[in-house]
Amino acid sequence: MDRGLRVGRNVTISKNAVIDTTYPYLISIGDNCSIAEHVRVLAHDAATFKFLDGHTRLGKVEIKDNCFIGDRSTILPGVAIGPNVLVAAGSVINRDIPPNSCVAGVPARVYGKFDEYLERNRQQIEEGGVFEFSL
């Protein structure tokens, strides 16, 4: 992809998401991922720029296959997420997230397993209470 950003197949990125435009070649997004509204994916941290002679921290960001990144989450440099991870809305990812996890918070912490989350939702769908979606 342009400027080195790597994006897999069947990926949805909201038009309001911000992918680091300065260092996109440090970012990869795997297959079947969804990046929600106002998510920020950062491969650099310029907090030290003025104080350390123009030096800034850089780090690869790897979002592996089958991840959902919720609204207004921030992914900081130097982390790997997943595969099979759900990041709840408003979370800040400042360290690696293990496979098959659901995380939430600032900083994000594991609160459950991805496959168990999906199974709970499958059961709710089977029991009813599901609303039809139409445009």
Side-chain angles (χ1 to χ4, degrees):
M1 186 152 211
D2 193 40
R3 300 195 60 216
L5 175 68
R6 291 175 304 282
V7 179
R9 292 176 303 224
N10 195 34
V11 171
T12 304
I13 301 175
S14 167
K15 65 180 177 175
N16 296 320
V18 176
I19 308 292
D20 194 327
T21 57
T22 309
Y23 302 98
Y25 56 88
L26 293 174
I27 300 169
S28 66
I29 302 170
D31 296 340
N32 304 312
C33 291
S34 292
I35 311 291
E37 297 281 322
H38 308 289
V39 168
R40 299 183 70 81
V41 181
L42 303 174
H44 78 286
D45 176 358
T48 61
F49 187 82
K50 286 188 176 188
F51 311 106
L52 295 177
D53 298 322
H55 289 88
T56 187
R57 183 172 69 98
L58 301 177
K60 290 183 180 181
V61 174
E62 186 177 11
I63 302 171
K64 297 180 182 177
D65 295 346
N66 305 315
C67 290
F68 175 82
I69 313 298
D71 189 271
R72 297 192 187 276
S73 293
T74 300
I75 300 172
L76 297 176
V79 299
I81 301 172
N84 303 321
V85 167
L86 181 147
V87 175
S91 297
V92 174
I93 307 299
N94 66 347
R95 62 179 58 116
D96 291 352
I97 304 299
N100 194 40
S101 298
C102 294
V103 299
V106 179
R109 302 276 190 247
V110 174
Y111 71 86
K113 293 186 180 251
F114 185 77
D115 57 354
E116 291 173 0
Y117 173 82
L118 292 179
E119 185 55 35
R120 277 193 311 275
N121 280 274
R122 278 190 192 98
Q123 288 174 0
Q124 288 175 347
I125 291 167
E126 289 173 7
E127 293 169 4
V130 176
F131 298 94
E132 281 192 39
F133 175 78
S134 63
L135 297 175

